[in-house]
Amino acid sequence: MNLSLYWLAFSCFAAAFVLHLYFLKNKNYLSRRFSLPIMGTGFALLTIFMYSRGSAVGACPIGNPFEIIVFIFWTSLLIYLLVALFFSVNYLGFFSAGMIAVAMVLVRLFPALDYAYGEGHINSSAIVGMHASLAVFSYGVFALLSVLGIMYLVQFYGLSKRRTGSFFTFLPSLTQLEHLQTWVLSTGLFLLTLSLFVGSFIYLYDLGEVPHYKLSFTVLVWLMYFVFLVLRLLKRLFSSKYAWSVIIGFLVALLALIPVDRARQDLAPHGESEIMG
Amino acid sequence: MNEMQVTAKNSLSVGNSLFVFSLNHHQVSLDDREKLALDETALVELNDAVAKLDSVAEFMCLKTCNRFELYASGLTERCVEEVWEVFRRFYSVPEQKLKEIVDSKHSAQMIQHLFEVCSGVDSQMIGETEILGQVKRSFEDSRSTGKIGGAFNRIFPKAFQAAKWVRTNTLIGQGQVSIGNVAVDLAQRIFGDLTQRKVLVIGAGEVARLTAQSLVSRSVESVTFTSRTEANAKDLADEFTASTLPFSSILKELHQFDILIASTSAPHAIIDKKSLKRAMRKRSYEPLFIIDLAMPRDIEPQAGKIAQVFLYDLDDVSGIANENLKNRTLEIEHCKQVLSARSWATWLDVMRRSMTKSLRDSIENSALPETDSSDLKR
């Protein structure tokens, strides 16, 4: 598969990140007027890349770990663009661009993740595709949530260690970041719940096709974010503990993708025609 | 021919006789500045006296807390001396002494001085922004009363542009340097918008008052004053149209406030960790920002370890202010270089325009009799 669009998108994110760094070095921050078009171009290129992949398999391109990871970051970009369009959250673009650029390079360091697959289980029915897309979409939201968690910790560290400077001044306040985290967490959990709701039909009507270990891990991830949200709403989880929870939570959720991917491989029909890779 | 020479001399002298007399914090101590400060009546008289001088093309007086300056542009070489004669009459100090303390700058140096003043580079509080507004107001006042002519109309807007550029592109205005503004800066890093935040000020000292003033200027929801001497708290509350709280009720009502400024002269801590923890539980661990400006401290230092309590003492706040001031001071040379280049360009522009105008006037004046004679021939 041609990766030129992928790398073009990467160059946009890398450029946005470097520009942010340049402004940061000059004790300033890159305005949304400049960062949004760059990030938007990267998003558009990544969308075309994903679309061309999807066209090849005739479904949402989440057939292997590489595609899943790219889809996750595509989603977090989409949410970032929506947030950035309506709210002024300084440095969210900087952190998002940095995270996505690094992730795009890292994921290509393991070409085996982009293995060939055919019209397997995911593409076998619309309901399965919808379930999987919603689940991966919620992961994208959780990725953005972890970015917000990192931003919170940076501001918190600055305040605790009496650090000053324009970087900390321009960084959103703790209260704003905490509110945004809760909003993003609610959105992610809503999407994951919707995904599980759709997935429950597969489980109910096609019991044999859902391995128990996959079900357990998925429910555990959902439960983890549900507990985070409940504790947050009850004001039992706050400040740096909340930020650490959503960051570690996202890493746990990413690890849970391993058994989920294994389940898909186990269930892939024999003799499928390889169309990717 | 004579008329032609006068016009040329006038135009060229615009550039040659640009000057400023400045009494500012660099040469004059605060005590002396207080003694030398001109009251409103004297200021009006000085303006009138300078306006009457035929040698002055345009002028402007600038009066702020830390400086009094008279900018002028002359039509003749004698302008500087004539304005000085008027200027010195308003000060009851020997002329020699006045010459020593008045900083006078001419031509390109005057423009550079103006650029530095507008940018806050020359201010006592380096990088402050208030000065730009003060210069703009003075300029507008002078323009509306017809004291400003062609050269100042070029120079002052250029100075405002340069000030804006410096603030945007250098570090001269970065970081807060007063305790009140440092407190506001920190509060904004915790809460963002302060319009829904409640402030409690414990103690009625000057530092607490100034800090409260900075927070009030950011439109906090409410400010409450409390002091061991109730009358002092009442006075401050009246000043800020705020409310008061009995000193004995502090611990009971602590949970209602988001920002706490403490600066009493109590010999021991008045808020201990245990009481603060109780208050934090009551406010569901919503962030609480405390600035303890008292010496000895009013808040137990261990209280800073409670989750969501952001406790800063006098050393912390002063440390931040000093650090920011140091950074601004380091930036002065960079700013001066930039302003020097820009002021020089403005100076050349003023000179070029002045010379072009004088040349045009010369040509017009010399062409006029010929035109008349040709008309007569017709």
Side-chain angles (χ1 to χ4, degrees):
Chain A
M1 187 77 197
N2 190 355
L3 288 169
S4 49
L5 278 171
Y6 179 84
W7 289 119
L8 272 174
F10 162 78
S11 58
C12 286
F13 304 131
F17 183 68
V18 170
L19 264 176
H20 272 290
L21 271 182
Y22 172 78
F23 275 80
L24 198 59
K25 192 174 160 282
N26 291 303
K27 317 279 180 190
N28 212 326
Y29 71 94
L30 184 64
S31 155
R32 281 188 298 174
R33 278 183 301 165
F34 299 105
S35 65
L36 272 181
I38 303 171
M39 296 289 278
T41 308
F43 175 76
L45 290 166
L46 201 60
T47 308
I48 300 168
F49 170 75
M50 299 291 284
Y51 179 78
S52 59
R53 282 230 165 188
S55 302
V57 290
C60 191
I62 44 175
N64 62 35
F66 166 73
E67 288 183 350
I68 289 173
I69 291 168
V70 173
F71 195 87
I72 287 171
F73 289 112
W74 178 85
T75 310
S76 61
L77 259 173
L78 178 67
I79 304 289
Y80 156 72
L81 289 172
L82 288 174
V83 170
L85 271 176
F86 298 106
F87 305 99
S88 174
V89 189
N90 296 336
Y91 289 126
L92 185 58
F94 168 68
F95 282 94
S96 300
M99 181 186 73
I100 291 165
V102 169
M104 285 179 85
V105 172
L106 280 180
V107 77
R108 288 310 305 174
L109 290 178
F110 305 96
L113 293 176
D114 193 14
Y115 56 73
Y117 66 93
E119 293 187 11
H121 182 69
I122 264 188
N123 309 317
S124 60
S125 75
I127 205 161
V128 175
M130 190 177 169
H131 156 72
S133 310
L134 280 169
V136 179
F137 208 89
S138 70
Y139 266 63
V141 179
F142 294 138
L144 191 71
L145 178 63
S146 64
V147 170
L148 290 168
I150 292 168
M151 289 169 75
Y152 184 97
L153 289 177
V154 172
Q155 183 66 282
F156 185 81
Y157 169 84
L159 283 164
S160 309
K161 301 286 174 193
R162 277 68 176 139
R163 292 289 169 90
T164 56
S166 49
F167 174 72
F168 293 109
T169 306
F170 292 135
L171 202 64
S173 68
L174 293 181
T175 308
Q176 190 188 7
L177 286 167
E178 212 163 47
H179 284 162
L180 263 175
Q181 281 181 75
T182 307
W183 184 80
V184 173
L185 173 59
S186 309
T187 310
L189 191 64
F190 170 75
L191 289 168
L192 190 60
T193 309
L194 205 63
S195 160
L196 292 188
F197 177 73
V198 173
S200 67
F201 286 96
I202 308 163
Y203 184 76
L204 288 172
Y205 298 107
D206 202 1
L207 190 65
E209 290 202 4
V210 183
H212 285 291
Y213 63 86
K214 179 194 169 183
L215 190 67
S216 312
F217 276 106
T218 314
V219 171
L220 272 175
V221 168
W222 179 86
L223 201 62
M224 175 182 72
Y225 279 114
F226 179 73
V227 170
F228 287 168
L229 185 63
V230 170
L231 288 177
R232 175 63 209 143
L233 294 177
L234 291 173
K235 297 184 175 175
R236 303 294 292 270
L237 185 62
F238 48 80
S239 188
S240 55
K241 279 183 192 161
Y242 183 32
W244 276 117
S245 300
V246 296
I247 295 166
I248 295 168
F250 181 62
L251 294 176
V252 170
L254 277 182
L255 288 175
L257 282 179
I258 297 169
V260 173
D261 185 55
R262 212 185 111 199
R264 193 176 49 237
Q265 287 184 52
D266 290 348
L267 295 171
H270 296 293
E272 61 182 344
S273 58
E274 291 188 350
I275 58 170
M276 303 296 294
Chain B
M1 188 64 190
N2 279 346
E3 199 180 320
M4 210 172 79
Q5 279 172 336
V6 168
T7 313
K9 190 183 166 193
N10 285 354
S11 301
L12 281 170
S13 67
V14 167
N16 286 333
S17 60
L18 279 175
F19 62 93
V20 58
F21 296 143
S22 173
L23 274 164
N24 57 53
H25 58 95
H26 293 300
Q27 278 88 10
V28 193
S29 68
L30 180 62
D31 287 344
D32 288 344
R33 284 205 304 279
E34 274 172 357
K35 285 176 201 155
L36 292 169
L38 298 179
D39 59 23
E40 282 306 312
T41 318
L43 200 60
V44 171
E45 284 172 11
L46 175 65
N47 269 289
D48 289 345
V50 177
K52 279 177 191 159
L53 296 174
D54 291 335
S55 59
V56 177
E58 49 190 331
F59 74 99
M60 186 196 96
C61 290
L62 171 69
K63 187 180 178 228
T64 72
C65 309
N66 284 324
R67 65 179 71 237
F68 175 73
E69 297 186 331
L70 195 156
Y71 293 85
S73 160
L75 293 168
T76 64
E77 299 292 337
R78 280 193 47 76
C79 175
V80 182
E81 292 159 36
E82 286 179 12
V83 173
W84 173 256
E85 282 303 315
V86 171
F87 186 79
R88 76 174 181 85
R89 285 210 308 265
F90 285 82
Y91 294 99
S92 54
V93 284
E95 188 175 0
Q96 194 51 42
K97 167 83 176 157
L98 193 64
K99 272 186 178 165
E100 280 169 20
I101 57 174
V102 169
D103 186 14
S104 64
K105 288 194 160 61
H106 300 258
S107 308
Q109 281 188 335
M110 170 269 196
I111 299 178
Q112 182 167 353
H113 173 77
L114 173 69
F115 279 31
E116 288 176 6
V117 168
C118 289
S119 311
V121 173
D122 197 58
S123 296
Q124 191 168 36
M125 186 74 83
I126 299 157
E128 54 110 353
T129 52
E130 212 176 322
I131 186 72
L132 182 60
Q134 289 168 326
V135 180
K136 278 183 175 174
R137 272 194 297 279
S138 299
F139 177 70
E140 285 307 323
D141 288 348
S142 300
R143 191 154 67 171
S144 63
T145 50
K147 297 185 189 99
I148 301 290
F152 279 14
N153 269 330
R154 294 285 312 161
I155 296 166
F156 277 80
K158 288 280 178 193
F160 304 151
Q161 282 172 17
K164 197 178 170 193
W165 189 93
V166 162
R167 285 190 199 294
T168 314
N169 297 288
T170 74
L171 307 180
I172 198 74
Q174 296 277 338
Q176 301 300 339
V177 291
S178 73
I179 287 179
N181 285 338
V182 168
V184 168
D185 198 29
L186 290 168
Q188 284 177 330
R189 281 173 62 187
I190 296 166
F191 301 112
D193 182 19
L194 299 181
T195 51
Q196 291 177 344
R197 301 296 160 188
K198 293 178 178 172
V199 182
L200 174 65
V201 183
I202 308 173
E206 184 60 12
V207 188
R209 197 185 73 83
L210 290 172
T211 312
Q213 197 170 39
S214 298
L215 288 162
V216 166
S217 71
R218 299 306 199 283
S219 310
V220 290
E221 188 184 311
S222 69
V223 180
T224 306
F225 289 93
T226 181
S227 173
R228 211 178 286 273
T229 315
E230 212 169 313
N232 292 345
K234 180 87 175 56
D235 286 348
L236 278 175
D238 289 345
E239 188 185 332
F240 289 97
T241 42
S243 53
T244 58
L245 180 77
F247 195 76
S248 53
S249 308
I250 294 176
L251 297 181
K252 205 170 76 186
E253 304 294 332
L254 203 55
H255 65 280
Q256 291 187 23
F257 299 97
D258 305 296
I259 300 168
L260 194 63
I261 305 163
S263 72
T264 73
S265 49
H268 52 76
I270 55 170
I271 299 176
D272 60 346
K273 188 181 175 184
K274 210 171 144 188
S275 310
L276 205 55
K277 200 158 190 176
R278 206 166 36 239
M280 287 306 285
R281 267 200 297 271
K282 272 190 186 174
R283 57 188 276 111
S284 306
Y285 284 91
E286 283 294 311
L288 175 64
F289 174 43
I290 306 174
I291 318 163
D292 187 355
L293 302 170
M295 193 57 64
R297 284 177 282 190
D298 282 340
I299 319 286
E300 253 184 23
Q302 292 84 355
K305 292 191 176 131
I306 301 170
Q308 296 285 69
V309 170
F310 297 90
L311 173 62
Y312 289 78
D313 61 26
L314 191 59
D315 277 2
D316 295 327
V317 181
S318 306
I320 292 169
N322 289 337
E323 182 70 21
N324 290 337
L325 190 61
K326 201 174 89 188
N327 290 337
R328 285 187 181 194
T329 311
L330 289 172
E331 195 66 4
I332 287 180
E333 272 316 302
H334 174 214
C335 290
K336 282 191 171 178
Q337 279 174 12
V338 173
L339 292 171
S340 170
R342 292 179 82 109
S343 60
W344 180 246
T346 305
W347 162 247
L348 291 178
D349 180 47
V350 169
M351 287 301 288
R352 183 182 56 78
R353 282 169 184 271
S354 170
M355 291 174 87
T356 311
K357 188 175 177 295
S358 71
L359 199 63
R360 200 188 304 125
D361 288 348
S362 307
I363 294 165
E364 279 173 6
N365 286 334
S366 60
L368 202 61
E370 283 175 23
T371 315
D372 289 347
S373 61
S374 64
D375 283 348
L376 284 171
K377 275 178 194 173
R378 268 183 228 161

